[in-house]
Amino acid sequence: AELSREDVLRLAEENNVKFIRLWFTDILGNLKSFAITVGELEDALDGGMGFDGSSITGYNDIEESDMIAMPDTSTFQLFPWSPRENAVARMFCDVRTPEGDPYVGDPRHVLRRALERANEMGFDNFYVGPELEFFYFKDPYGTELLDYGSYFDHTTLDAATNLRRDTVLALEKLDINVEYSHHEVGNSQHEIDLRYDSALEMADKAMTYKTVVKEIAQRHGVYATFMPKPIQDQNGSGMHTHQSLFSNGKNAFFDPDDQFYLSDVAKAFIAGQLRHAREISIIFAQYVNSYKRLVPGYEAPVYIAWSRRNRSALVRVPLYHPGKEQATRAEIRCPDPAANPYLCFAALLHAGLEGIERGYELPEPMERNLYHLSHDERQRLGIQSLPASLGEAIQEAEDSELLQKCLGEHIFKRLLNLKRDEWEEYRIQVTPFELKKYLPVL
Ligand code: GLN
Ligand code: MG
Ligand code: MG
Ligand code: MG
């Protein structure tokens, strides 16, 4: 909903709002929040609220740390769990410099720039529908399960049914439409799918979703996590993302006469994502742990190919409603829910647009289970793999012009430095695996 400054002031008054939380993210996608009282609201709407950017991951150094959080009025929402008296609302903010310019370290700005590029190429909407999976555990200090259910199970096994229902109800109160919610493959693993929306709105929604899932879990005395691979021998948690580009209300991915119902635009877009997947991997799979998910056998992609049926492919063109214009879309399966959604959608979009701009050729679909191809077969077919580790992803990212263009120099440099530190910290660990495997025999 479009809300004006006046709408926000009226809604605040009508709902007895006392506190307004101002939200933005750091470059890793951690939600940052500070509260103002309603007395400050008019000022905040006019000139934004100042804050110290030097302690926000990936933002500025102390020499130039004055930042402004400029509320986006269209994101004004009351928290569903807010009391009626002294109610609490929130708004997402764009981060600005004291001069009023967009701040180059703000992930929301990166996504806005990506959308501008799409606009300039004639696409007025980039729709995304992410499927964010997560686990419920008894507490944050272990992986003690809540249930032993599996995919689509609905029995008393599924102790989390009430939790999920409360979460969906809270999301709907926040105007976030839910399409599906169900038990996932892993024990204690769940999924709630949001109805597709424009990428910027959806990135905000994804941030809210993660907060709501965690908040409701905590209210039930359990812990929800978006960690990509918490349990070694079970499925990890993905954030499959369904994508389409629209121009003038028409789905630019749709061609009724094509054998796959895919337009040339869609094919080049998918080709772009396949070709650039390795260098943007650091965005959609940003943690050491992300690469433990991207291994064969757990419905997560490893090999760079596209397909219609097979869920081992990186990009899948779902067959649910073949030939239906609105439903024609490409599902990219590599992102995980710990990604920064702003940067993730921006990088996916840039990769796809690159394919369109340069007219990349889409290879043949691979309908075979890619997990079962041998190394030699993959070589013969020219099928590449995603980076196997964060270290490899860093190497791929370092030389990427596309990533620099997407992130801008500021975030590009800072993200890589953060990731190098993380990788180094991990690399020097002597793990239980090594002690068990080597100590008794070497
Ligand atoms: N959990 C799987 C992943 O890591 C996906 C499983 C599914 O949605 N079918 O991507
Ligand atoms: Mg799903
Ligand atoms: Mg799923
Ligand atoms: Mg899916």
Side-chain angles (χ1 to χ4, degrees):
E2 284 298 309
L3 294 175
S4 67
R5 178 183 181 280
E6 278 59 45
D7 293 332
V8 167
L9 290 170
R10 181 177 45 77
L11 284 168
E13 163 120 31
E14 281 172 9
N15 293 288
N16 299 316
V17 169
K18 175 71 181 170
F19 299 100
I20 302 99
R21 295 239 170 126
L22 300 183
W23 280 7
F24 57 97
T25 70
D26 66 13
I27 67 174
L28 297 176
N30 296 305
L31 184 64
K32 295 284 151 179
S33 165
F34 63 102
I36 58 170
T37 50
V38 71
E40 299 294 315
L41 183 56
E42 283 205 64
D43 279 355
L45 294 173
D46 293 337
M49 296 302 284
F51 68 96
D52 171 7
S54 66
S55 301
I56 307 289
T57 304
Y59 277 37
N60 268 341
D61 302 322
I62 15 190
E63 303 90 75
E64 28 157 10
S65 53
D66 287 336
M67 295 284 128
I68 306 289
M70 191 68 209
D72 180 339
T73 52
S74 61
T75 64
F76 182 90
Q77 288 283 355
L78 253 68
F79 287 131
W81 49 78
S82 162
R84 276 178 200 282
E85 278 302 307
N86 294 325
V88 186
R90 74 96 160 89
M91 279 184 282
F92 279 98
C93 295
D94 289 301
V95 183
R96 302 233 174 119
T97 66
E99 291 74 42
D101 299 321
Y103 173 50
V104 289
D106 177 13
R108 224 168 173 246
H109 177 61
V110 170
L111 181 51
R112 283 190 189 281
R113 280 201 302 105
L115 294 168
E116 260 165 43
R117 181 178 176 198
N119 272 323
E120 280 158 17
M121 291 172 67
F123 305 111
D124 43 38
N125 240 320
F126 176 44
Y127 283 119
V128 292
E131 309 174 43
L132 292 102
E133 299 171 337
F134 58 90
F135 281 84
Y136 286 126
F137 294 128
K138 294 233 159 103
D139 60 53
Y141 309 107
T143 53
E144 208 185 321
L145 303 167
L146 244 59
D147 67 66
Y148 289 88
S150 193
Y151 194 65
F152 272 35
D153 274 344
H154 180 95
T155 60
T156 45
L157 279 176
D158 188 352
T161 300
N162 290 340
L163 261 161
R164 254 188 1 237
R165 191 201 52 211
D166 282 2
T167 307
V168 172
L169 291 174
L171 289 169
E172 298 212 313
K173 282 198 187 134
L174 284 158
D175 262 348
I176 297 178
N177 296 322
V178 172
E179 283 202 325
Y180 285 84
S181 63
H182 60 84
H183 204 292
E184 248 305 333
V185 173
N187 296 156
S188 221
Q189 188 187 29
H190 298 265
E191 172 174 324
I192 298 173
D193 296 334
L194 310 181
R195 186 181 161 75
Y196 71 91
D197 202 346
S198 306
L200 186 70
E201 283 73 13
M202 187 52 85
D204 290 344
K205 286 182 179 180
M207 290 308 303
T208 307
Y209 168 99
K210 290 200 260 185
T211 309
V212 170
V213 168
K214 282 177 172 289
E215 181 80 33
I216 301 291
Q218 201 170 54
R219 276 158 200 270
H220 286 254
V222 301
Y223 182 71
T225 179
F226 295 93
M227 180 177 173
K229 184 84 173 185
I231 306 174
Q232 181 172 320
D233 299 319
Q234 293 223 14
N235 269 19
S237 290
M239 182 176 73
H240 302 172
T241 300
H242 297 257
Q243 322 159 87
S244 55
L245 283 170
F246 274 61
S247 337
N248 301 319
K250 286 228 172 309
N251 187 346
F253 276 14
F254 179 65
D255 177 353
D257 301 323
D258 180 72
Q259 60 165 322
F260 305 118
Y261 301 106
L262 290 178
S263 67
D264 290 346
V265 161
K267 288 178 184 168
F269 185 92
I270 296 168
Q273 293 197 326
L274 298 180
R275 174 137 15 151
H276 295 288
R278 286 175 57 79
E279 63 200 275
I280 62 166
S281 187
I282 198 167
I283 303 296
F284 59 66
Q286 67 169 335
Y287 292 109
V288 162
N289 182 252
S290 299
Y291 295 86
K292 309 279 164 89
R293 167 178 166 255
L294 300 171
V295 300
Y298 298 94
E299 294 185 74
V302 184
Y303 305 113
I304 301 181
W306 77 284
S307 142
R308 305 217 67 202
R309 285 183 184 82
N310 120 48
R311 286 177 158 77
S312 61
L314 188 80
V315 175
R316 203 171 69 89
V317 176
L319 277 169
Y320 298 121
H321 303 287
K324 201 171 145 209
E325 182 188 330
Q326 292 291 316
T328 302
R329 62 193 188 270
E331 176 192 32
I332 187 154
R333 298 172 61 85
C334 45
D336 68 51
N340 179 329
Y342 301 94
L343 299 186
C344 183
F345 299 156
L348 295 177
L349 179 55
H350 274 288
L353 293 177
E354 202 73 13
I356 296 172
E357 204 166 85
R358 299 186 183 215
Y360 293 166
E361 216 41 78
L362 183 64
E364 288 298 305
M366 284 294 311
E367 300 304 349
R368 294 170 60 187
N369 185 335
L370 296 157
Y371 298 151
H372 297 159
L373 294 180
S374 68
H375 180 80
D376 290 350
E377 281 175 301
R378 287 199 309 275
Q379 287 230 303
R380 197 160 35 73
L381 293 162
I383 297 176
Q384 285 196 308
S385 309
L386 288 172
S389 66
L390 182 63
E392 199 181 326
I394 292 169
Q395 278 179 9
E396 289 295 318
E398 274 168 344
D399 310 314
S400 169
E401 277 174 35
L402 180 77
L403 200 59
Q404 285 192 47
K405 175 152 88 179
C406 167
L407 301 177
E409 206 183 275
H410 178 100
I411 295 189
F412 181 77
K413 278 200 179 138
R414 283 175 200 244
L415 185 69
L416 278 173
N417 281 336
L418 282 169
K419 292 294 141 185
R420 286 188 193 105
D421 289 350
E422 180 184 345
W423 179 245
E424 202 50 27
E425 191 187 342
Y426 176 69
R427 207 178 60 80
I428 63 172
Q429 303 284 328
V430 176
T431 61
F433 167 88
E434 288 156 278
L435 290 176
K436 191 164 153 229
K437 190 162 176 90
Y438 304 131
L439 191 57
V441 294
L442 297 181

